[in-house]
């Protein structure tokens, strides 16, 4: 099946008891057994739930994987991955990544003896330099949050496999529609399902997709043993959202292209970060591993004044100032004080995350209205 067909049909079947075309919300905590251990595949909803099963199977199909595993948030999913490792193990991560991931790595797991190295992964040689006998995994984002850097997943996969390392990829910004890391050699794909997969800013969830059976069983054990699972209502909402993922991503990408071009030519904009530009570093790699370039854009203002960034964001009418991304509505955010505030200022500025940087999640509204909204907000400085 092609992607749009998989999004609508994979993992879901009409309800066998009623013929309902939509997956039922199995709002139950437990399941009746005929005899101890003699059940219909379900015992307790932390372990398994039919609505969650349908979603997990659907997500696995979208990423061309075998096993989907859902969690109560994206960070819950990453937390499960780090629980695969032991004190003394080392993980190499990109230096430009989501602030919540950085906080989880440095404020939670470093005190338990897991060491993290943060390097610019656009240069794979810098990753190779950090590999030693304690290294167990490479953790990548591409495009990165919020600088929109592109990481060569094929090159990272070759490096990981040559050193017997796992390769994990946060694929949230791209979504399965634009990029499939498992096909490029990754071992684990992570999504903040909250974002493009849900698509309507009404649910918080995370997911992992893997191919290898033993790795899947280890992660499923952690999912059940630690209990960070989503409820059936949230799973239902994501299944609904996914049915229009391909259509939404096409529009996000179209609008993203229009808005990126507009900002690049604006006299008050210093720099625009969007991988669709031919002069974007690693544009050719983005072109080779992504189907399109998406609707995530970051830009900085001339003069780099925090007060200018505040004024612009306070002046928007359509771009709502809010955490998160990937919904049908356009959002703006200020990474330095919002999503990436947990990263020290000196570390942020090393990767170009300056105080005037604004991150846009371009929605699926009419592009001309979004351009007009930007024009008005930028005219206020």
């Amino acid at each position: 099946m092609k992607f749009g067909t998989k999004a609508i049909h994979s993992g879901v079947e009409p309800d066998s008891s009623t013929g309902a075309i939509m997956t039922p919300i199995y709002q139950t905590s437990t399941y009746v057994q005929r005899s101890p251990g003699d059940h219909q595949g379900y015992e307790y909803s932390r372990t398994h739930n039919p609505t969650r099963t349908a979603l997990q199977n659907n997500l696995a199909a979208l990423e061309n994987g075998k096993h989907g595993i859902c969690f109560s948030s994206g960070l819950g999913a990453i937390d499960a991955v780090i629980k695969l490792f032991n004190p003394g193990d080392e993980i190499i991560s990109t230096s430009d990544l989501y602030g919540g991931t950085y906080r989880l790595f440095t404020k939670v797991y470093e005190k338990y003896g897991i060491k993290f190295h943060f390097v610019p992964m656009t240069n794979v040689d810098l990753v190779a330099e950090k590999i030693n006998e304690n290294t167990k995994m490479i953790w990548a984002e591409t495009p990165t949050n919020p600088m929109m850097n592109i990481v060569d997943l094929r090159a990272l996969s070759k490096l990981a496999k040559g050193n017997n390392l796992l390769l994990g990829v946060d694929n949230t910004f791209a979504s399965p529609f634009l990029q499939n890391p498992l096909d490029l050699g990754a071992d684990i794909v992570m999504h903040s399902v909250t974002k493009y997969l849900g698509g309507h800013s009404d649910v918080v969830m995370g997911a992992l997709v893997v191919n290898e059976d033993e790795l899947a069983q280890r992660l499923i054990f952690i999912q059940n043993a630690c209990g960070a699972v989503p409820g059936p209502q949230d799973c239902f909402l994501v299944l609904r959202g996914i049915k229009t993922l391909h259509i939404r991503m096409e529009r996000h990408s179209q609008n993203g292209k229009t808005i990126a071009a507009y900002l690049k030519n604006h006299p008050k904009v210093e720099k625009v970060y969007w991988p669709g530009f031919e002069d974007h570093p690693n544009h050719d790699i983005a072109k080779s591993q992504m189907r399109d370039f998406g609707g995530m854009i970051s830009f900085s203002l001339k003069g780099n004044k925090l007060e200018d960034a505040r004024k612009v964001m306070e002046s928007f009418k359509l771009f709502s100032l809010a955490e998160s991304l990937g919904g049908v509505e356009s959002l703006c955010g200020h990474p330095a004080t919002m999503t990436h505030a947990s990263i020290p200022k000196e570390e942020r500025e090393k990767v170009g995350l300056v105080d005037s940087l604004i991150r846009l999640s371009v929605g699926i509204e009419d592009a001309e209205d979004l351009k007009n909204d930007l024009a008005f907000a930028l005219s206020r400085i």
Side-chain angles (χ1 to χ4, degrees):
M1 291 187 288
K2 302 299 183 183
F3 188 93
T5 309
K6 286 196 293 186
I8 294 169
H9 293 287
S10 287
V12 298
E13 296 287 343
D15 179 50
S16 58
S17 61
T18 66
I21 195 165
M22 299 304 295
T23 304
I25 302 170
Y26 286 89
Q27 196 71 53
T28 184
S29 61
T30 193
Y31 306 82
V32 175
Q33 303 184 29
R34 289 176 289 265
S35 181
D38 181 9
H39 52 76
Q40 300 179 65
Y42 296 92
E43 303 167 84
Y44 187 62
S45 276
R46 186 189 67 249
T47 308
H48 298 293
N49 176 281
T51 315
R52 191 171 90 218
T53 297
L55 175 59
Q56 291 178 155
N57 291 340
N58 182 264
L59 290 172
L62 295 186
E63 281 289 8
N64 300 325
K66 289 176 63 178
H67 306 277
I69 311 160
C70 286
F71 297 84
S72 54
S73 69
L75 280 171
I78 300 173
D79 178 74
V81 173
I82 307 305
K83 283 173 179 167
L84 294 169
F85 306 108
N86 299 306
D89 290 345
E90 298 187 13
I91 294 169
I92 303 170
S93 177
T94 179
S95 57
D96 171 25
L97 80 167
Y98 169 52
T101 306
Y102 180 90
R103 181 179 59 226
L104 178 68
F105 289 174
T106 60
K107 303 299 184 183
V108 177
Y109 278 102
E110 280 194 344
K111 71 179 181 181
Y112 295 119
I114 297 177
K115 186 174 182 179
F116 296 88
H117 301 278
F118 299 95
V119 301
M121 284 191 175
T122 51
N123 185 341
V124 177
D125 291 339
L126 296 178
V127 181
E129 289 175 4
K130 293 294 184 181
I131 295 175
N132 60 53
E133 66 274 9
N134 297 319
T135 309
K136 296 297 187 292
M137 183 177 72
I138 298 170
W139 183 262
E141 288 182 11
T142 184
T144 61
N145 182 1
M147 302 309 300
M148 305 305 297
N149 286 312
I150 298 297
V151 176
D152 187 339
L153 292 181
R154 293 183 182 90
L156 271 189
S157 173
K158 183 178 180 181
L159 180 65
K161 287 177 169 53
N163 290 276
N164 196 31
L165 308 177
L166 289 174
L167 173 59
V169 178
D170 183 338
N171 199 33
T172 299
F173 267 29
S175 87
F177 179 75
L178 298 182
Q179 182 172 264
N180 298 120
L182 294 179
D183 293 347
L184 301 169
D187 300 290
I188 302 170
V189 178
M190 194 288 296
H191 284 281
S192 176
V193 176
T194 310
K195 313 304 193 294
Y196 285 112
L197 287 163
H200 293 78
S201 302
D202 55 8
V203 66
V204 174
M205 192 186 298
L208 304 172
V209 180
V210 302
N211 269 324
E212 206 273 316
D213 294 340
E214 182 181 354
L215 176 60
Q217 291 309 309
R218 292 171 66 195
L219 290 167
I220 291 167
F221 172 82
I222 292 169
Q223 178 198 43
N224 182 51
C226 297
V229 296
Q233 172 76 22
D234 288 347
C235 293
F236 173 86
L237 289 172
V238 174
L239 279 168
R240 181 203 64 179
I242 285 174
K243 290 181 186 297
T244 59
L245 176 63
H246 53 301
I247 299 170
R248 290 187 285 107
M249 292 309 298
E250 288 172 353
R251 183 61 174 263
H252 283 299
S253 296
Q254 291 168 7
N255 282 357
K257 182 178 181 179
T258 299
I259 297 305
Y262 174 79
L263 289 170
K264 193 171 188 179
N265 293 313
H266 198 284
K268 294 182 180 179
V269 172
E270 178 68 28
K271 192 167 184 180
V272 182
Y273 301 89
W274 183 67
F277 290 137
E278 290 188 2
D279 60 356
H280 184 285
N282 281 358
H283 167 76
D284 289 341
I285 292 170
K287 198 172 179 180
S288 73
Q289 66 188 27
M290 298 176 71
R291 296 179 184 92
D292 209 333
F293 304 108
M296 294 303 302
I297 301 167
S298 292
F299 69 98
S300 58
L301 300 171
K302 289 184 178 176
N304 190 32
K305 295 178 181 178
L306 176 59
E307 55 267 32
D308 284 348
R310 289 187 188 277
K311 187 66 173 177
V312 168
M313 290 182 287
E314 290 169 357
S315 300
F316 282 128
K317 304 299 182 184
L318 294 178
F319 282 93
S320 298
L321 176 59
E323 301 273 1
S324 201
L325 59 103
V328 293
E329 66 288 315
S330 292
L331 300 177
C332 71
H334 188 242
T337 60
M338 295 170 70
T339 54
H340 292 67
S342 59
I343 300 177
K345 182 179 175 69
E346 61 272 18
E347 295 299 318
R348 295 197 304 262
E349 292 188 342
K350 282 180 184 178
V351 300
L353 203 168
V354 296
D355 282 348
S356 74
L357 189 83
I358 296 171
R359 191 190 74 182
L360 300 181
S361 172
V362 180
I364 64 172
E365 303 96 335
D366 189 284
E368 286 300 312
D369 290 331
L370 296 178
K371 284 167 59 177
N372 291 337
D373 197 36
L374 282 161
F376 174 77
L378 288 166
S379 74
R380 307 296 286 173
I381 59 172

